[in-house]
Amino acid sequence: MENTRKAELFERTPIPKAVFTLAVPTVLSSLVMVLYNLADTYFVGMLLDPVQNSAVTLAAPVLLAFNAVNNLFGVGSSSMMSRSLGAKDYDTVRRSSAFGFYCALLSGILFSVLATAFRVPLLGLLGADAVTAQATMDYMGWTVSCGAAPAILNVVLAYLVRAEGATLHASIGTMSGCLLNIVLDPIFILPWGLGMGAAGAGLAPFLSNCFACLYFFVLLFVRRGTTYVCLLPALARPGRELVRGVFGVGVPASIQNLLNVTGMTVLNNFTAVFGTDALAAMGISYKINMIPMYIAMGISQGLMPLVSYNYGSGNVSRLKKAVVFAQKVSLSFMAVVSVCYFFASESLIGMFMKTEAVVAYGSRFLRRMCIAQPFLCMDFLAVGVFQACGLGQYALLFAILRKIVLEIPALYVLNYFSPLYGLACAQTVAEVVLAAAAAVILTRLFRRMAAEGTPRPPRRGEKWSPPPVLWRARGRY
């Protein structure tokens, strides 16, 4: 019965309903994650201490680096799972989930050990100085040294559960941890509670991520007879096809996030030259601007199981209709948000910090950042399609274009011609170019899929291989 409901959602449910069923819980989860990220900034901002707020901003690239592991084993394994579900290869589904889980666990532990052992040079790399180093170290002590493994597993488990269409359960698990973090933040940060400042802002997410992981473990135990997600160590053995399928999507997605970390580190180092007020304002503006970014990302991630399943089963027509519908919804929403941000920038910055200099800097930053939003959603959607179809090389191409070719050089050039304020325009430059590239590549990719036809699903006992476009499309665009 459970398998029949999954097939119904992926194969026969009307496109708008299927997209909303998968995307809405993921978007809600993304929104709660935004609140989770903003909670640290908001409650630390209530201390009216730019040093404490700068510590949270400076540590952000390290936390963003978690996503490199999340995408390597979360996106890679979930894409492999959904494509295998579409091809009815249930053994590969189970093996992919076990492989992704244990690799993520080991990576989280290694991340904590390395970040702790090399914390002093790491602080210098992040842009911390004598004023901000101690607060930054206090924050990272909980979020990284202690919290890397639960933070990574929380997200990877959500990807694995979402891969078989259980987006609601994935979102509940993620949101439960985020909501607990929002409750704990003021207790740990503010003087009326434990008064830990930036350190308290790190302790709250550590405990919250542990709670979210516990939710997923209980969920998988309760659903052990109906879920394809398997955490048995015996099934985690790597095989050539399994590793190639997971890493083919996961490695480019991981590199994409490492490049995001690089870009954010460069941005923080440029901004730090202008003082703690400017750095705090950039951090606040960036996090406010992440709200629509996370929504666009949520739509893309929610759509991925539907795209992967229909790609694996060869239903190109349904795949294309789902992508086009999601693109219309995402673009319309992002355009509205961009206009609202532009005219309400001062009020939005003032919600997090009342310091006059921070509001003045932040409002100008936010007006420049929000212009990128309508273009960004097209970029995210295209990358989601590439990852869902196993076309990791295209996702890697977009990551290199975004950061190495476009955004990081733009930071240098724009900061030279318009010191400080030009930094906030670099993302817009990159996203305009990428949106145009995404439209061209997706159009040609859909035409290629249609021309090659839909492959026959494997018969019982027959080994599954990807649709031909997975291999023939390489290097064509």
Side-chain angles (χ1 to χ4, degrees), residues 147-210:
I152 290 170
L153 286 181
N154 171 20
V155 177
V156 170
L157 284 167
Y159 270 115
L160 300 182
V161 171
R162 191 182 297 122
E164 58 178 0
T167 54
L168 181 60
H169 287 293
S171 300
I172 290 174
T174 303
M175 289 190 294
S176 64
C178 293
L179 292 173
L180 179 60
N181 178 81
I182 294 171
V183 172
L184 294 178
D185 257 344
I187 298 174
F188 292 154
I189 295 171
L190 299 179
W192 59 260
L194 297 179
M196 297 173 64
L203 176 57
F206 165 66
L207 296 176
S208 302
N209 286 323
C210 290

Side-chain angles (χ1 to χ4, degrees), residues 21 106 134 201 226 246 269 387 436 455:
T21 299
L106 293 175
Q134 186 58 52
T226 58
V246 172
N269 276 275
Q387 293 172 342

Side-chain angles (χ1 to χ4, degrees), residues 96-379:
S96 299
S97 61
F99 178 74
F101 172 80
Y102 284 103
C103 287
L105 175 60
L106 293 175
S107 299
I109 295 172
L110 182 62
F111 203 119
S112 291
V113 172
L114 293 178
T116 303
F118 298 100
R119 61 183 178 276
V120 174
L122 179 59
L123 288 171
L125 182 64
L126 293 172
D129 55 21
V131 177
T132 57
Q134 186 58 52
T136 306
M137 188 181 298
D138 292 341
Y139 180 71
M140 289 175 55
W142 286 109
T143 54
V144 182
S145 296
C146 296
I152 290 170
L153 286 181
N154 171 20
V155 177
V156 170
L157 284 167
Y159 270 115
L160 300 182
V161 171
R162 191 182 297 122
E164 58 178 0
T167 54
L168 181 60
H169 287 293
S171 300
I172 290 174
T174 303
M175 289 190 294
S176 64
C178 293
L179 292 173
L180 179 60
N181 178 81
I182 294 171
V183 172
L184 294 178
D185 257 344
I187 298 174
F188 292 154
I189 295 171
L190 299 179
W192 59 260
L194 297 179
M196 297 173 64
L203 176 57
F206 165 66
L207 296 176
S208 302
N209 286 323
C210 290
F211 178 82
C213 288
L214 179 62
Y215 171 87
F216 282 117
F217 291 141
V218 172
L219 172 69
L220 294 177
F221 178 78
V222 172
R223 290 166 53 89
R224 61 190 182 278
T226 58
T227 181
Y228 291 114
V229 179
C230 179
L231 305 184
L232 291 176
L235 292 181
R237 292 191 304 271
R240 177 180 298 180
E241 294 301 322
L242 176 61
V243 172
R244 184 174 6 180
V246 172
F247 280 29
V249 174
V251 169
S254 179
I255 293 174
Q256 174 184 333
N257 274 278
L258 290 175
L259 292 176
N260 289 340
V261 173
T262 304
M264 192 172 186
T265 303
V266 172
L267 175 62
N268 285 345
N269 276 275
F270 270 127
T271 309
V273 175
F274 297 89
T276 56
D277 285 337
L279 185 59
M282 184 64 79
I284 293 170
S285 303
Y286 190 87
K287 287 194 174 183
I288 292 175
N289 201 49
M290 284 174 64
I291 296 175
M293 287 174 60
Y294 268 89
I295 293 174
M297 192 182 302
I299 293 174
S300 175
Q301 291 178 349
L303 186 68
M304 279 181 62
L306 183 62
V307 173
S308 292
Y309 186 99
N310 284 282
Y311 182 76
S313 64
N315 194 341
V316 177
S317 174
R318 183 171 174 82
L319 183 158
K320 181 179 178 181
K321 290 177 182 177
V323 172
V324 171
F325 177 78
Q327 186 267 332
K328 291 178 181 178
V329 172
S330 184
L331 181 59
S332 301
F333 174 80
M334 297 291 271
V336 173
V337 171
S338 183
V339 172
C340 294
Y341 270 25
F342 189 88
F343 290 104
S345 59
E346 289 187 5
S347 300
L348 291 169
I349 299 296
M351 291 172 58
F352 294 89
M353 206 164 184
K354 302 297 183 182
T355 306
E356 184 177 348
V358 173
V359 173
Y361 282 131
S363 60
R364 290 179 175 88
F365 294 154
L366 188 57
R367 287 194 188 104
R368 288 161 173 79
M369 289 178 177
C370 70
I371 299 172
Q373 298 297 345
F375 304 98
L376 180 144
C377 71
M378 187 66 188
D379 174 18

